[in-house]
Amino acid sequence: MPWRWQQASGLDVVAHAWQAANQSALLVGIACDSQQLVIHYRNLPASAPLFTLMLHEDLQSRRKAGNNAARLVKGIPFR
């Protein structure tokens, strides 16, 4: 899977994730800060990310978000 690490500042995490999705051949972007991780899809409005995980979320929620992000890339329905 192609990916690129880019450290950025100035925008909020949702905006960074949306920018990443717009630069991705897979249409999916991920951004994070010290409190949250955001997964965005290029075809969604910039202010409406697909998934947002907070730092305090449990392992099951983290796995579910990662699994669904992979399903998004593959074009498979979410669980």
Side-chain angles (χ1 to χ4, degrees), residues 53-64:
L53 289 170
M54 301 307 289
L55 179 64
H56 65 277
E57 304 254 0
D58 63 3
L59 181 60
Q60 185 68 17
S61 296
R62 294 176 192 183
R63 285 181 179 228
K64 185 176 178 180

Side-chain angles (χ1 to χ4, degrees), residues 58-79:
D58 63 3
L59 181 60
Q60 185 68 17
S61 296
R62 294 176 192 183
R63 285 181 179 228
K64 185 176 178 180
N67 188 343
N68 282 328
R71 290 173 158 279
L72 175 64
V73 169
K74 293 178 180 181
I76 302 172
F78 299 138
R79 289 188 180 190

Side-chain angles (χ1 to χ4, degrees), residues 10-35:
L11 299 175
D12 66 4
V13 180
V14 173
H16 282 300
W18 192 76
Q19 281 184 345
N22 279 291
Q23 296 173 4
S24 170
L26 300 175
L27 311 177
V28 177
I30 300 172
C32 64
D33 63 12
S34 63
Q35 296 299 313

